[in-house]
């Protein structure tokens, strides 16, 4: 399975900061050992696409609505992402689920809609600390995959990002053993559901833990937040 290194910029970086990042990152992206994808915030998307034109860097948006256009004030259109040259859409990130109330049913519609446009959904799943401590991790991930992929097309590309909620932005990375065990579970759930997809790990990935994590079973790359905001730290992660 090819490796994918994805950067989730959340609500960081203005268009000017985006241009300045990519003018430097374009110089080093050739060293990456897999595909490199960036998810800038919506208003910086066009700056990202323009500055990375002609390079191997892929761009996507962090969210979209389930229709291309209409009376949906404040939403983002995947059709527009496609038109400006984006190829991925992040779906169901834990911040979308927890802060903006996204349900598995809405996430399933988004996955199907994104695929119908020929874009690749990157579906995020992950358990909270309470769920892990109650030994419900497997059940939570199985439910999120079962419901989130309910309308997905098995013949079209999809990427899954496993991000334990307790490891996101906390500096508390899952141990290599936890990553190996959980990715093996995610792989087996996907196989049972009939899907083949790269499984990325996310949650406090840094240059000093990426080398060990990439060696674990069924880890095809990373979804990186904080450490993707600087050229130096992200390229170190993308070259493991
Ligand atoms: P983090 O974020 O790397 O800052 O923990 C990961 C994510 O939210 O995708």
């Amino acid at each position: 399975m090819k490796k994918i290194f994805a950067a989730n910029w959340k609500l960081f970086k203005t268009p000017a900061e985006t241009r300045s990042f990519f003018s430097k990152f374009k110089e080093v992206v050739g060293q990456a050992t897999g595909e490199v994808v960036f998810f800038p915030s919506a208003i910086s998307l066009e700056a990202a696409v323009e500055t990375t034109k002609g390079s191997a860097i892929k761009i996507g948006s962090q969210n979209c609505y389930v229709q291309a256009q209409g009376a949906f004030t404040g939403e983002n259109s995947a059709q527009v992402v496609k038109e400006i040259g984006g190829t991925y859409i992040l779906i169901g990130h834990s911040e979308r689920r927890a802060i903006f109330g996204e349900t598995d049913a809405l996430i399933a519609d988004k996955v199907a809609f994104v695929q119908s446009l020929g874009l690749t959904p990157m579906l995020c799943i992950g358990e909270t600390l309470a769920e892990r401590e109650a030994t419900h991790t497997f059940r939570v991930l199985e439910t999120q995959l079962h419901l989130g992929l309910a309308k997905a097309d098995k013949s079209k590309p999809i990427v899954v990002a496993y991000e334990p909620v307790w490891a996101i932005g906390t500096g508390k990375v899952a141990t290599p053993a936890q990553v190996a065990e959980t990715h093996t579970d995610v792989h087996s759930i996907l196989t049972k559901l009939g899907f083949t997809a790269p499984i990325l790990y996310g949650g406090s990935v840094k240059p000093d833990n990426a080398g060990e994590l990439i060696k674990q079973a069924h880890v095809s790359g990373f979804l990186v937040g904080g450490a993707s905001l600087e050229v130096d730290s992200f390229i170190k992660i993308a070259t493991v």
Side-chain angles (χ1 to χ4, degrees), residues 6-8 10 90 93-95 124 163 167-171 202-206 223-228:
N8 175 11
K10 311 192 178 190
L90 204 59
H93 186 277
S94 72
E95 285 150 19
C124 302
E163 300 198 298
I168 295 177
T170 58
S204 298
V205 175
K206 308 282 178 226
L223 178 56
V224 187
S228 72

Side-chain angles (χ1 to χ4, degrees), residues 135-218:
T135 67
H136 291 159
T137 300
F138 185 90
R139 200 195 309 160
V140 167
L141 301 178
E142 192 177 39
T143 303
Q144 289 176 343
L145 286 170
H146 182 70
L147 298 178
L149 294 172
K151 297 178 178 173
D153 185 336
K154 296 184 174 81
S155 69
K156 291 187 175 155
I158 183 154
V159 176
V160 171
Y162 165 62
E163 300 198 298
V165 177
W166 48 271
I168 295 177
T170 58
K172 254 193 242 162
V173 67
T175 65
Q178 284 172 326
V179 170
E181 185 190 7
T182 316
H183 277 241
T184 301
D185 286 345
V186 171
H187 175 77
S188 75
I189 297 164
L190 285 171
T191 305
K192 211 168 67 191
L193 294 173
F195 289 88
T196 307
I199 307 165
L200 314 187
Y201 170 78
S204 298
V205 175
K206 308 282 178 226
D208 63 0
N209 57 34
E212 193 56 30
L213 294 174
I214 198 73
K215 291 190 221 145
Q216 305 309 311
H218 302 293

